[in-house]
């Protein structure tokens, strides 16, 4: 059963959490933790944000400039002040494309160049997909399209891109929707070469459209998995109801088997209307957030979906966490910290038009549990103006602070929308335990058919890194759930005898199809190395660990702090023993 966090629970624990500073506004940022910006003279909304290496940030969105809605990009300093040396217009770069243009998503490439996509209207009768590019200082890139602007006509009427990902080789992946000839909205992926031309190795033309669903389907967010598969999330109209929809294709736009029907998945989020707005990857998992209808309003949901389309049962009991802050709650974006914790942002408030709603930010573990020490039992609600406050994007700074970007509206006081950016302090040491780390040395690849099978019983997600003989990370699989997972080693060269090292804070087990051995441990600070099926080394700070070498019939259980060497089939040499 999914875990639900109702308002009663949040209120009942408020006194305990009120003393914690984690999740509070950062008073060193902007004015009391909030920066208000007015890039245009009317409709100013931030739709995306990127935290940079120096704890400054980039934001993009839409603002009215010279009488037309235009894409804008801005650079904010670490204290939230506008960097007036950035861009082409007093700290901003504007792109006015035809009658109107809207910037919905932003990305950076390996050279620090900035990309924004969304939708643009050359005429009011037709919209196209724009991609704009600037250098790191916000100057339009003249080598990219016309003065840094490319537009793609994907429909005779409407088309928009809602998200963008830049691959390691600077190819560009877009996801969104377009209206077909029957005026049904279809989800699409598009891949461009670094110069902005369509990549014909992707789907033959550079674009893949989901044509199997006869009614409306669209994508609000996309991600690229370690396997190279491209996934998107949004919603589809099913029997006149809105349902969360995921669409996945292979690395070159090819069909993927085992994910829904022909790559389209309708996960069972709820019985009413529900839709996805944000997504982030964690190894071979997709963490999706959005809203699920309650009959009288909506709740925030976070779902953990495997690459095979199944919900992870270890996440919040059945793969879905729901959070009820107010009658009307929507999750709009999600980010993942280095310890596997998830940060969700969006908007929360009452039902009805014109009623107040506020920023919210929530934190949960990789197992789907709210971190009670964050904010008020897992969430912080921030009111900026008395009307509409929507947090459209979240980014995590290198120093661990959280950045939310969106807009605030003075609707009732007859003022326009302004960009709002809020920053929150986080104590990452409170309220959670990092996922165990399981490190697999890739010298060689202990695999059959290009697949590594790893099994652990940590009771939550474990981080998995594959290293070569020099210690370099050859592949980061992110977090994997308890139980058995198959991880792809495609593209990695096989080499010499098996080398496997494991580190972790909780119980785990490992088996390799390439050798007859297994290791099972429960404890803290566990480290283990099995150089061959019967030769290795283990160490733990506390707890217990059992070793089984099935080929030699060897079995051992160690308790307490210990350090041991395994040498051949004959026995075990104890180098240092605490409490056995």
């Amino acid at each position: 059963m999914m875990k639900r966090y109702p308002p009663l629970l949040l209120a009942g624990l408020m006194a305990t959490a009120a003393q914690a500073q984690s999740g509070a506004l950062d008073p060193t940022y902007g004015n009391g933790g909030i920066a208000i910006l007015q890039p245009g003279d009317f409709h100013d909304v931030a739709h995306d944000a990127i935290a940079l290496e120096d704890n400054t940030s980039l934001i993009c969105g839409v603002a009215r400039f010279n009488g037309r809605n235009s894409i804008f990009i801005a650079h904010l300093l670490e204290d939230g002040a506008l960097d007036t040396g950035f861009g082409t217009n007093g700290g901003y770069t504007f792109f006015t494309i035809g009658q109107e243009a809207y910037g919905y998503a932003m990305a950076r490439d390996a050279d620090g160049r900035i990309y924004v996509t969304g939708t643009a209207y050359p005429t009011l009768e037709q919209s196209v997909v724009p991609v704009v590019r600037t250098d790191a200082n916000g100057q339009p890139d003249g080598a990219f399209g016309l003065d840094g602007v490319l537009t793609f006509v994907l429909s005779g009427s409407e088309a928009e891109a809602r998200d963008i990902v830049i691959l390691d080789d600077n190819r560009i992946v877009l996801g969104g929707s377009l209206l077909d000839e029957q005026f049904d909205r279809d989800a699409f992926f598009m891949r461009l070469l670094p110069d902005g031309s369509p990549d014909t190795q992707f789907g033959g033309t550079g674009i893949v459209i989901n044509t199997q669903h006869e009614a409306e389907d669209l994508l609000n967010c996309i991600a690229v998995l370690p396997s190279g598969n491209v996934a998107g999330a949004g919603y589809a109209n099913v029997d006149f109801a809105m349902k969360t929809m995921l669409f996945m294709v292979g690395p070159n736009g090819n069909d993927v088997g085992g994910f829904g029907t022909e790559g389209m998945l309708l996960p069972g989020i709820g019985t009413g209307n529900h839709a996805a707005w944000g997504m982030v990857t964690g190894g071979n998992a997709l963490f999706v957030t959005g809203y699920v209808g309650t009959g009288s309003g909506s709740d925030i949901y976070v779902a953990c979906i495997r690459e095979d389309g199944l919900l992870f049962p270890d996440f919040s009991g059945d793969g879905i966490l729901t959070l009820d802050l107010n009658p009307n709650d929507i999750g709009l974006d999600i980010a993942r910290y280095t310890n596997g914790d998830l940060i969700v942002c969006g908007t929360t408030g009452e039902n009805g038009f014109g009623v107040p709603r506020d920023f919210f930010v929530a934190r949960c573990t990789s197992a789907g549990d709210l971190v009670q020490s964050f904010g008020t039992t897992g969430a912080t609600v921030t009111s900026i103006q008395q009307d509409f406050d929507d947090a459209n994007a979240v980014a995590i700074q290198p120093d661990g602070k959280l950045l939310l970007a969106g807009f605030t509206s003075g609707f009732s006081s007859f003022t326009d929308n302004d960009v709002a950016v809020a920053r929150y302090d986080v104590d990452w040491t409170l309220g959670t335990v990092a996922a165990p780390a399981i490190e697999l040395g890739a010298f060689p690849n202990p695999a059959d058919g290009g697949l590594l099978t790893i099994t652990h019983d940590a009771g939550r997600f474990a981080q998995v890194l594959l290293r070569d003989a020099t210690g370099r990370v050859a592949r980061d699989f992110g977090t994997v759930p308890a139980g058995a997972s198959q991880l792809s080693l495609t593209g990695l060269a096989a080499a010499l005898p098996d080398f496997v090292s494991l580190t972790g804070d909780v119980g785990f087990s490992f088996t390799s199809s390439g050798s007859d051995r297994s290791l099972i441990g429960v404890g803290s600070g566990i480290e283990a190395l099995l150089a061959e099926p019967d030769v290795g080394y283990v160490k733990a700070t506390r707890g217990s660990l059992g070793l089984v070498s099935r080929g030699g019939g060897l079995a051992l259980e160690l308790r307490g702090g210990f350090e041991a060497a395994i040498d051949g089939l004959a026995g075990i040499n104890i180098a240092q023993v605490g409490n056995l």
Side-chain angles (χ1 to χ4, degrees):
M1 179 179 295
M2 75 175 68
K3 294 179 183 176
R4 296 180 58 88
Y5 289 86
L8 182 61
L9 173 60
L10 297 176
L13 296 176
M14 187 178 299
T16 302
Q19 298 176 2
Q21 296 301 307
S22 187
L25 285 169
D26 177 5
T28 68
Y29 189 83
N31 182 8
I34 301 170
I36 303 295
L37 302 168
Q38 296 177 319
D41 59 10
F42 185 64
H43 184 68
D44 303 332
V45 178
H47 282 288
D48 206 357
I50 296 175
L52 301 181
E53 295 81 1
D54 59 358
N55 293 318
T56 64
S57 59
L58 296 168
I59 60 172
C60 77
V62 58
R64 192 168 72 175
F65 177 68
N66 289 336
R68 296 183 181 180
N69 286 337
S70 305
I71 294 169
F72 82 85
I73 306 172
H75 178 230
L76 304 186
L77 302 176
E78 188 173 4
D79 63 359
L82 180 68
D83 178 4
T84 56
F86 177 89
T88 60
N89 198 294
Y92 300 99
T93 299
F94 294 98
F95 290 95
T96 302
I97 305 169
Q99 300 299 311
E100 291 186 337
Y102 298 80
Y104 291 143
M106 177 169 51
R108 292 171 73 221
D109 67 16
D111 300 316
R113 293 175 297 193
I114 305 165
Y115 300 73
V116 176
T117 191
T119 191
Y121 290 82
T123 68
L124 293 179
E125 290 75 31
Q126 183 184 39
S127 62
V128 299
V129 171
V131 181
V132 305
R133 187 168 82 184
T134 74
D135 65 15
N137 294 314
Q139 301 299 312
D141 185 350
F144 190 81
L146 180 62
D147 296 327
V149 179
L150 285 170
T151 58
F152 298 92
V153 179
L154 304 183
S155 167
S157 50
E158 293 184 10
E160 64 177 16
R162 278 285 176 172
D163 208 353
I164 181 171
V165 173
I166 307 298
L167 303 179
D168 291 341
D169 59 5
N170 285 345
R171 285 181 297 174
I172 306 159
V173 181
L174 308 173
S177 63
L178 54 86
L179 281 182
D180 61 21
E181 294 179 353
Q182 288 73 42
F183 296 98
D184 286 328
R185 190 168 292 275
D186 294 330
F188 76 83
F189 294 119
M190 187 175 187
R191 193 168 77 192
L192 309 175
L193 297 173
D195 64 1
S197 60
D199 183 355
T200 55
Q201 293 186 358
F202 186 80
T205 61
I207 185 169
V208 176
I209 302 172
N210 181 27
T211 58
Q212 62 175 298
H213 186 62
E214 294 183 359
E216 180 180 65
D217 57 276
L218 59 84
L219 300 178
N220 290 320
C221 48
I222 65 171
V224 178
L225 290 147
S227 64
N229 288 345
V230 182
Y235 64 85
N237 191 313
V238 180
D239 296 329
F240 304 103
M242 190 179 296
K243 301 295 181 182
T244 297
M245 184 273 297
L246 280 78
F247 183 43
M248 182 183 292
V249 298
N252 289 314
N254 50 295
D255 290 338
V256 292
F259 189 85
T261 302
E262 298 181 20
M264 177 177 165
L265 177 72
L266 298 171
I269 302 299
T271 57
N273 289 327
H274 48 87
W277 286 94
M279 180 169 62
V280 67
T281 62
N284 61 349
L286 297 167
F287 295 95
V288 180
T289 190
Y291 78 88
V292 55
T294 62
S296 59
S298 62
D299 289 340
I300 304 142
Y301 81 79
V302 180
C304 184
I305 300 170
R306 304 191 318 194
E307 198 167 358
D308 62 6
L310 299 178
L311 289 165
F312 274 122
D314 292 338
F315 184 83
S316 194
D318 65 352
I320 306 169
L321 165 71
T322 63
L323 178 59
D324 181 7
L325 299 175
N326 283 297
N328 186 23
D329 305 319
I330 303 175
L332 294 175
D333 198 14
I334 186 169
R336 183 171 170 267
Y337 191 54
T338 55
N339 70 349
D341 280 10
L342 302 169
I343 301 295
V344 181
C345 77
T347 187
T348 178
E350 300 297 323
N351 287 320
F353 179 76
V355 298
R357 60 178 188 253
D358 303 317
F359 274 26
F360 86 82
V361 58
R363 175 185 171 194
C364 72
T365 68
S366 60
D369 298 313
L370 284 176
V371 176
Q372 301 295 311
S373 61
F374 181 86
T376 302
T377 61
T380 296
V381 176
T382 301
S383 178
I384 300 174
Q385 292 194 73
Q386 61 182 347
D387 297 310
F388 306 148
D389 303 327
D390 289 1
N392 292 320
V394 59
I396 304 176
Q397 295 184 173
D399 62 6
K401 294 184 179 182
L402 307 179
L403 203 70
L404 269 61
F407 77 95
T408 183
S409 170
F411 174 79
S412 61
S413 56
F414 302 102
T415 58
D416 56 5
N417 295 344
D418 293 330
V419 170
V421 184
R423 191 167 75 185
Y424 299 83
D425 288 319
V426 184
D427 186 342
W428 292 102
T429 66
L430 292 177
T432 189
V433 177
I438 301 178
E439 300 191 355
L440 309 178
F443 208 53
N445 306 328
D448 286 335
L451 292 175
L452 172 69
T453 300
I454 182 168
T455 302
H456 76 88
D457 55 3
R460 61 174 186 269
F461 289 88
Q463 182 182 0
V464 177
L465 300 175
L466 194 64
R467 297 183 184 274
D468 64 16
T470 68
R472 180 184 65 86
V473 175
R475 183 159 296 172
D476 183 353
F477 293 106
T479 53
V480 300
S485 297
Q486 286 194 323
L487 309 176
S488 172
L489 299 180
T490 302
L492 297 176
L496 299 174
D498 288 341
F499 173 91
V500 181
S501 67
L502 303 89
T503 66
D505 290 332
V506 295
F508 58 81
S509 66
F510 170 81
T511 59
S512 169
S513 59
S515 60
D516 191 22
R517 53 129 184 267
S518 64
L519 181 147
I520 302 171
V522 178
S524 175
I526 295 173
E527 298 178 3
L529 170 68
L530 298 178
E532 295 178 5
D534 311 300
V535 179
Y537 166 84
V538 293
K539 177 182 178 181
T541 306
R542 63 180 184 272
S544 65
L545 184 140
L547 290 172
V548 179
S549 176
R550 290 171 290 179
L554 180 67
L556 172 75
E557 182 177 356
L558 301 176
R559 296 182 181 276
F562 61 83
E563 189 169 328
I566 308 168
D567 187 8
L569 296 177
I572 298 172
N573 299 325
I574 305 299
Q576 177 182 342
V577 177
N579 239 340
L580 287 184

